[in-house]
Amino acid sequence: GQQVMQIPQYQHVQEGEDFTTYCNSSTTLSNIQWYKQRPGGHPVFLIQLVKSGEVKKQKRLTFQFGEAKKNSSLHITATQTTDVGTYFCYTGNQFYFGTGTSLTVIP
Amino acid sequence: DAGVIQSPRHEVTEMGQEVTLRCKPISGHNSLFWYRQTMMRGLELLIYFNNNVPIDDSGMPEDRFSAKMPNASFSTLKIQPSEPRDSAVYFCASSPGTGEDQPQHFGDGTRLSIL
């Protein structure tokens, strides 16, 4: 079955510090999506990665898809309190959401 | 544009009662998903419809759960009889295409508490 690990489960950072969450699969993925869920809210689509080695940026967020298409990362530079929430990876070919990384930003 | 609309937003009921959750997907979206979210199990896919046809219901916990999509603009998730362990947030999401390579748009969810 699908084995997708997302780490870390929790991350507390001081405002201004960087943050990274990783998604690792035991099988090759056709694509990967990232979502953000604010506390009390619903998941919101951030981005999709399709190509091997792909890197996409959205302001302070950088998304990477590994060369083997088995792992992906989301990096936030200089976190802000508005970045608080849980970040999920999603594998489209298995309809599977990762366990999520809950980010707390300390002002 | 209207997003995915779910009702009710909150539901509190006693165990044994029937619970019906409703979802209106975004117009023109071909795929509809029902998810359950809990602290222990995270975000789990319950069932996935494409063009109103159930494609994958392997995530439906047991026979107490059923889902229907009678037309492209409406879906229901029913629990009968409900149990306390069904307490969770239930999300409906819709997507253009098959949902494999298109973004999913989530509703605000139904927060269900079974006493």
Side-chain angles (χ1 to χ4, degrees):
Chain A
Q2 175 65 36
Q3 292 288 331
V4 177
M5 299 297 295
Q6 192 172 350
I7 56 171
Q9 189 175 0
Y10 302 97
Q11 186 80 60
H12 295 245
V13 300
Q14 207 71 34
E15 188 173 17
E17 291 182 339
D18 293 356
F19 159 78
T20 305
T21 175
Y22 301 89
C23 200
N24 300 307
S25 171
S26 58
T27 59
T28 302
L29 305 171
S30 59
N31 64 74
I32 195 160
Q33 298 176 1
W34 286 92
Y35 290 77
K36 176 184 178 182
Q37 183 177 19
R38 287 201 163 96
H42 58 268
V44 174
F45 173 80
L46 294 176
I47 209 157
Q48 175 170 272
L49 305 170
V50 179
K51 299 176 183 176
S52 169
E54 190 169 15
V55 178
K56 288 188 176 180
K57 293 190 176 184
Q58 290 179 349
K59 298 182 180 178
R60 294 177 295 104
L61 277 61
T62 302
F63 304 84
Q64 290 188 306
F65 203 9
E67 293 290 341
K69 300 182 73 173
K70 287 187 175 182
N71 54 67
S72 181
S73 65
L74 157 58
H75 179 82
I76 303 178
T77 303
T79 54
Q80 300 175 358
T81 54
T82 53
D83 296 325
V84 165
T86 301
Y87 293 84
F88 294 95
C89 61
Y90 170 79
T91 60
N93 51 330
Q94 284 96 6
F95 303 109
Y96 178 85
F97 273 89
T99 49
T101 296
S102 177
L103 172 63
T104 300
V105 179
I106 305 164
Chain B
D1 288 341
V4 175
I5 300 172
Q6 289 187 246
S7 64
R9 290 293 307 277
H10 303 272
E11 176 89 10
V12 181
T13 192
E14 293 186 347
M15 66 177 292
Q17 297 297 307
E18 178 179 292
V19 173
T20 300
L21 312 181
R22 297 172 176 80
C23 175
K24 178 179 168 56
I26 293 173
S27 177
H29 281 192
N30 297 334
S31 295
L32 183 140
F33 305 81
W34 282 101
Y35 291 93
R36 177 173 67 178
Q37 187 174 39
T38 61
M39 288 293 293
M40 289 297 295
R41 301 177 67 88
L43 199 56
E44 303 174 276
L45 175 67
L46 299 177
I47 188 167
Y48 155 51
F49 292 88
N50 185 251
N51 292 325
N52 313 338
V53 175
I55 302 300
D56 183 354
D57 65 353
S58 59
M60 295 287 265
E62 49 199 88
D63 292 344
R64 297 186 298 107
F65 285 68
S66 62
K68 294 182 179 180
M69 192 165 185
N71 57 63
S73 59
F74 184 66
S75 178
T76 59
L77 177 67
K78 189 172 292 187
I79 309 173
Q80 167 63 21
S82 58
E83 297 182 2
R85 60 193 168 120
D86 302 330
S87 297
V89 180
Y90 291 81
F91 287 106
C92 174
S94 70
S95 176
T98 63
E100 293 185 13
D101 58 357
Q102 295 288 331
Q104 293 189 33
H105 301 258
F106 283 74
D108 289 335
T110 295
R111 282 153 180 77
L112 177 64
S113 295
I114 309 297
L115 306 176

